[in-house]
Amino acid sequence: MMKLLRYVLIAAVLFTAFCYLNNTSLFSTPEEGKPVLLAHRGLHQTFTHHDLKSDTCTATRIYPPEHEFIENTLPSIDAAFRAGADIVELDVHPTTDGHFAVFHDWTLGCRTEGKGVTRDHTLAELKALDIGYGYTADGGMTFPLRGKGVGLMPTLDEVLARFPDKRFLINVKGDDPEEGKLLAARIEGLSPDERNLLMVYGGKQPIAELNARLPDIKVMSRDTLKRCGLTYLAVGWTGYVPQACRNTLLLVPANYAGLLWGWPERFLQRMRAAGSDVFVTGNFSAGDPGTSGIDDATSLAAIPKGFAGGIWTNRIDRIGPAVREAARLKLDD
């Protein structure tokens, strides 16, 4: 019995040593470059996540505006790129007349004076709306953006035409497989170089449809993210990257990143070799349906030194200049 226990102990020590040596970043050379910044919704009005529900109208709980940009508009996207974004995330809905409108909400009543489901309208009807109509920072006493968003809801075509050489993450807001087919048909008309600038995420069904038609596009859904995460936690200690983690998009909450085998450098190197992009988000909190970001100096300082992966932010106006300044100081050293 003692001999068996000794063998078990030796095996356990060897296994632990292998896992450590195969996954530690101590012997990895960080890749050169700065983080890849992804601006969620472009430069937009942010809001408190306190007691946030899936149906909460976030336009009615914004912080006092520091600028007049409205999310998912051409000026907002332009401002995000100028602030330092490498990628801008935007949301799309199909219209009844064959376009893709760029707008966040499933329904119109929160941010606009319109009513009903966004996808149940024509493009002309959506273009006529004031998408700054519903924003208030004081419980409805004042509406600082009202009247400033008339006609500003763009189409996906307009965004791609305005920024032909920029990278975008497209969020398909519905879970209708037909949306995946329609978006695939739109993207198929682009050149390979143009397609390479796009990533898509959203509901399980449209993402599966789009991926079946355009396997070269990096996609993500809650389903793909879950399959990748669980499989990698089970086998990642070996260094193997499962198929579910290949050619995809991975969002990693900052407070769970340390659980990933090889985090940060080994993990990033493995995922890059597998054709996947990794973005660190803010801390995950159970019950919060929103996507928190790396939005302030404190959360940015918690990112590993020399990190060259992706950073998801809701405050590109803060994080962009901070990352730019850090890169400048590094060059001066």
Side-chain angles (χ1 to χ4, degrees):
M1 178 62 72
M2 292 299 295
K3 191 173 184 180
L4 177 60
L5 288 176
R6 187 161 53 247
Y7 286 149
V8 170
L9 179 60
I10 291 173
V13 170
L14 291 174
F15 176 75
T16 301
F18 173 80
C19 287
Y20 175 78
L21 293 173
N22 198 44
N23 290 283
T24 181
S25 293
L26 290 177
F27 310 118
S28 298
T29 302
E31 296 190 14
E32 293 294 327
K34 67 178 184 64
V36 176
L37 300 183
L38 189 154
H40 183 218
R41 306 193 198 183
L43 181 55
H44 68 283
Q45 306 298 324
T46 54
F47 49 86
T48 175
H49 280 231
H50 176 69
D51 198 30
L52 188 68
K53 303 292 190 300
S54 60
D55 59 351
T56 300
C57 176
T58 56
T60 63
R61 52 163 59 198
I62 62 170
Y63 297 115
E66 300 175 32
H67 55 75
E68 293 190 345
F69 293 106
I70 301 172
E71 64 185 51
N72 281 315
T73 61
L74 296 177
S76 159
I77 294 168
D78 182 60
F81 282 127
R82 285 189 285 106
D86 300 290
I87 306 169
V88 169
E89 186 265 4
L90 51 81
D91 310 283
V92 299
H93 303 259
T95 67
T96 59
D97 51 351
H99 300 276
F100 274 102
V102 179
F103 184 68
H104 180 270
D105 293 358
W106 181 254
T107 57
L108 297 169
C110 170
R111 300 178 196 281
T112 82
E113 75 278 30
K115 292 181 174 57
V117 176
T118 305
R119 62 179 290 165
D120 289 344
H121 292 74
T122 66
L123 178 62
E125 290 169 339
L126 296 175
K127 285 280 193 182
L129 297 173
D130 176 8
I131 59 174
Y133 186 87
Y135 289 86
T136 179
D138 52 17
M141 295 178 61
T142 61
F143 293 87
L145 300 177
R146 185 168 289 183
K148 298 178 180 179
V150 179
L152 286 189
M153 189 186 302
T155 65
L156 179 60
D157 286 348
E158 289 172 334
V159 170
L160 297 182
R162 173 75 176 274
F163 306 99
D165 59 345
K166 298 296 187 181
R167 297 179 66 189
F168 289 98
L169 171 60
I170 301 171
N171 182 13
V172 180
K173 297 299 292 186
D175 197 24
D176 181 352
E178 192 63 27
E179 292 186 37
K181 296 177 185 178
L182 291 171
L183 184 57
R186 171 62 185 87
I187 295 176
E188 280 176 332
L190 302 175
S191 70
D193 287 342
E194 290 171 325
R195 287 202 301 269
N196 195 46
L197 296 172
L198 304 179
M199 299 181 289
V200 184
Y201 77 120
K204 176 180 178 179
Q205 296 188 84
I207 291 303
E209 288 288 347
L210 187 143
N211 186 233
R213 287 164 169 73
L214 297 174
D216 58 317
I217 298 290
K218 294 176 185 176
V219 299
M220 185 196 78
S221 67
R222 188 183 298 271
D223 181 65
T224 67
L225 191 58
K226 182 178 179 180
R227 282 191 286 115
C228 170
L230 292 177
T231 311
Y232 186 77
L233 287 175
V235 304
W237 59 273
T238 66
Y240 173 71
V241 178
Q243 187 61 39
C245 297
R246 297 177 181 273
N247 196 40
T248 188
L249 170 71
L250 301 175
L251 302 186
V252 178
N255 53 335
Y256 284 90
L259 298 177
L260 297 170
W261 295 106
W263 181 262
E265 292 303 329
R266 289 283 184 90
F267 179 78
L268 290 177
Q269 290 167 7
R270 289 168 184 169
M271 294 303 148
R272 282 200 186 95
S276 294
D277 287 358
V278 178
F279 293 88
V280 177
T281 69
N283 290 343
F284 173 78
S285 176
D288 183 355
T291 305
S292 61
I294 305 301
D295 296 337
D296 53 37
T298 300
S299 56
L300 182 61
I303 298 295
K305 186 176 181 181
F307 183 76
I311 290 178
W312 177 291
T313 181
N314 296 300
R315 291 300 306 259
I316 188 62
D317 53 324
R318 293 177 179 173
I319 301 304
V323 168
R324 207 160 40 219
E325 176 63 12
R328 185 190 68 79
L329 292 174
K330 184 178 179 180
L331 288 175
D332 291 344
D333 287 344

